[in-house]
Amino acid sequence: MIIIAIDGPAAAGKGTLARRLAGALKLPYLDTGLLYRATAKRVLEAGGDPADALAATGAAMSLRDSDTARTDLRDAATSRAASQVASIPAVRDALLAYQRAYGDANGAVLDGRDIGTVIFPHADVKLFVTASVEARAKRRQAEFAARGETTSLAKVIADVAARDEADRGRAAAPLIPAEDAILIDTTSMNADEAFAHALAIVTRKIQP
Ligand code: CDP
């Protein structure tokens, strides 16, 4: 059972990389950020406050596949709210078993913030993917543009930086590289280069 943990800050290219690695290795792929985004969306749509532990934990505990399958989870407000619900320990606890069961079923590539530190501390390979805040914000801005949303780079940089600060500073499962994680800085790599680099690392690790 192969588990590949990919963690890192917002918009570092984890999702693209994880999806491509999963395809190459024929492993299932779980975007764990979607669990937090879907939890946040449910709270927001019920008119609740994403910082309200009871409301957020209730939403996390009753999450369904149809919630995470939504295509409207990537806007700035949902991202911000996702980071808020993600700082609540009971929310993280409610989502932990699902993530472990997903990986334990057939092995998996999972991307998130705490996969290598909390969810799968014994993962076969742990990658920590970073890039400068400017490079990450430019990629996120391009994703917004592809969906027809125009946002200034300054606003995207501010959003991404604020979320990183919250994710790094929280007490519950803060964003931090696992001790045995391999760092990949993709600031000057395109998606193909990052994939080739990561695949070489993973192949070396799992087929010594
Ligand atoms: O795509 P992006 O990197 O911007 O975000 P994401 O991976 O979808 O995660 C959205 C938010 O959920 C993050 O800012 C974290 O606060 C939270 N998250 C988390 O705490 N733990 C995870 N394993 C995944 C996401």
Side-chain angles (χ1 to χ4, degrees), residues 140-163:
R140 186 49 44 99
Q141 189 187 34
E143 282 170 25
F144 284 144
R147 293 204 302 265
E149 295 168 40
T150 320
T151 326
S152 79
L153 187 60
K155 171 148 188 355
V156 184
I157 289 178
D159 282 354
V160 161
R163 193 143 58 86

Side-chain angles (χ1 to χ4, degrees), residues 10-11 14 32 37 83 86 92 113-114 140 163 167 170:
K14 302 180 300 288
T32 66
R37 289 174 180 275
S83 186
R92 307 200 69 86
R113 301 292 186 286
D114 64 339
R140 186 49 44 99
R163 193 143 58 86
D167 290 349
R170 70 187 176 209

Side-chain angles (χ1 to χ4, degrees), residues 130-145:
T130 63
S132 71
V133 70
E134 291 79 13
R136 292 187 285 117
K138 278 188 186 151
R139 291 176 197 158
R140 186 49 44 99
Q141 189 187 34
E143 282 170 25
F144 284 144

Side-chain angles (χ1 to χ4, degrees), residues 44-106:
L44 291 175
E45 286 192 339
D49 175 0
D52 173 352
L54 265 186
T57 307
M61 287 173 66
S62 54
L63 216 56
R64 292 158 184 250
D65 287 345
S66 56
D67 293 310
T68 52
R70 293 174 62 147
T71 55
D72 57 353
L73 298 174
R74 300 206 173 271
D75 58 287
T78 309
S79 302
R80 221 170 12 251
S83 186
Q84 285 181 286
V85 301
S87 72
I88 300 167
V91 167
R92 307 200 69 86
D93 285 349
L95 300 175
L96 185 136
Y98 176 84
Q99 296 173 77
R100 288 206 178 137
Y102 186 95
D104 285 340
N106 295 297

